[in-house]
Amino acid sequence: TMQSSGHRFRDVEHHPLLAENDTYDSSSSEADMAERVWFIRDGCGMVCAIMTWLLVVYADFVVTFVMLLPSKDFWYSVINGVLFNCLAVLALSSHLRTMLTDPGAVPKGNATKEYMDNLQLKPGEVIYKCPKCCSIKPERAHHCSICKRCIRKMDHHCPWVNNCVGEKNQRFFVLFTMYIALISAHALILCGFQFFSCVRGQWTECSDFSPPVTVILMIFLCLEGFLFLTFTAVMFGTQIHSICNDETEIERLKSEKPTWERRLRWEGMKSVFGGQPSLLWINPFAGFRIRRILLRAKKGGPEFSV
């Protein structure tokens, strides 16, 4: 540590402060960042995100064209088809919003003397500077080596959504895991009914595809559904537990003693999902504005991590 303007500044020895003649307008930087579309240019993350979409599309294809459309029960096909496709749309929408929402990134390079003076710190107060992205770290922020930014209340970096899960997009990640778990469970139930129906009818009219192709498609769907149901159900439970305890996964793994005042369980849920309980809690489209996205695209283009 060293003395700087009457307060202690940690981690500064690794990367010196920006020179005083380097200008940094925190208000304009944060406003500019808010006007950009967030996207992480990570090869592994983009491959995983595309695979997620392809797996959901595959499940929808098998459910719709292999199991439901050939069924002789009209209402069985309609009800299950509408339900499954609605859940699939909600899951993919939640995935998109998790991936394209700024998780709570701290502006790069805000560790300037001018910015620190604006913080109006008390004499002797300790502040922390990230040596990797040259930013002043707020409490509970952690640096992500993939996003190359410090993220407020960072829970973890998830390659399946090609983004960090943090303060601003945790709600969408929770919805993503919930809807994926629901469509996985629904697909497994439909597979069970379909196998029973095909065996009872001796595989004569249970599908428009040949029996071997039908069996292979349904086996792959069962494997996919079981794996995704297990993974997302566990992740959903872990996220809800973290929200109720007001503790991120990183803080739990590091066994960090809380220096903040923990919210009550219900207050934590309202903080993440926004306001009192309502249908908006499970609506991934809440707060989405197409006009705002178009303006962001015209103004600054995507916010890439490079």
Side-chain angles (χ1 to χ4, degrees), residues 181-196:
L182 288 175
I183 64 173
S184 298
H186 191 191
L188 289 173
I189 293 172
L190 290 176
C191 281
F193 280 115
Q194 188 70 12
F195 272 118
F196 178 77

Side-chain angles (χ1 to χ4, degrees), residues 102-295:
D102 175 1
V106 179
K108 284 183 177 179
N110 66 352
T112 62
K113 184 178 183 302
E114 178 186 2
Y115 182 74
M116 287 187 291
D117 290 340
N118 291 333
L119 293 177
Q120 298 180 348
L121 299 168
K122 299 176 182 178
E125 186 174 351
V126 177
I127 59 175
Y128 295 88
K129 169 177 172 285
C130 177
K132 298 177 181 178
C133 60
C134 198
S135 63
I136 295 177
K137 294 176 66 172
E139 188 177 38
R140 306 184 69 183
H142 294 274
H143 185 86
C144 175
S145 59
I146 299 176
C147 296
K148 296 180 175 63
R149 301 289 281 272
C150 283
I151 308 296
R152 294 183 179 91
K153 287 185 66 178
M154 176 182 169
D155 188 85
H156 67 288
H157 184 95
C158 179
W160 294 104
V161 298
N162 189 33
N163 202 359
C164 276
V165 177
E167 185 178 64
K168 294 183 179 180
N169 68 345
Q170 187 176 25
R171 167 175 170 259
F172 302 121
F173 181 74
V174 172
L175 293 182
F176 167 67
T177 57
M178 181 183 74
Y179 287 124
I180 290 292
L182 288 175
I183 64 173
S184 298
H186 191 191
L188 289 173
I189 293 172
L190 290 176
C191 281
F193 280 115
Q194 188 70 12
F195 272 118
F196 178 77
S197 174
C198 289
V199 170
R200 187 178 59 181
Q202 297 182 352
W203 300 88
T204 53
E205 298 179 357
C206 71
S207 175
D208 293 336
F209 295 84
S210 64
V213 173
T214 301
V215 171
I216 292 173
L217 292 174
M218 291 176 62
I219 287 177
F220 275 112
L221 179 59
C222 287
L223 291 175
E224 176 192 342
F226 178 76
L227 290 175
F228 270 79
L229 174 61
T230 303
F231 174 76
T232 55
V234 170
M235 185 59 70
F236 175 78
T238 301
Q239 288 293 302
I240 295 298
H241 181 267
S242 297
I243 294 171
C244 290
N245 288 342
D246 195 13
E247 181 182 50
T248 66
E249 187 66 15
I250 291 178
E251 291 164 351
R252 187 186 68 82
L253 292 175
K254 290 185 175 181
S255 299
E256 294 183 4
K257 294 182 179 179
T259 56
W260 61 94
E261 184 179 352
R262 284 188 170 179
R263 295 187 179 96
L264 298 175
R265 293 185 177 183
W266 197 241
E267 292 300 320
M269 292 290 290
K270 290 194 290 186
S271 173
V272 171
F273 289 92
Q276 296 296 327
S278 68
L279 290 177
L280 294 177
W281 277 26
I282 58 174
N283 179 12
F285 300 103
F288 180 74
R289 298 290 184 273
I290 296 179
R291 188 176 181 181
R292 185 188 304 170
I293 296 297
L294 295 176
L295 288 174

Side-chain angles (χ1 to χ4, degrees), residues 30-43:
E30 292 186 8
D32 179 66
M33 191 166 59
E35 290 299 324
R36 296 191 177 194
V37 176
W38 179 269
F39 182 77
I40 301 301
R41 190 164 56 184
D42 173 59

Side-chain angles (χ1 to χ4, degrees), residues 49-67:
I50 292 172
M51 283 181 58
T52 301
W53 276 67
L54 291 178
L55 289 170
V56 173
V57 170
Y58 169 78
D60 189 66
F61 169 79
V62 176
V63 167
T64 303
F65 293 97
V66 178
M67 294 190 283

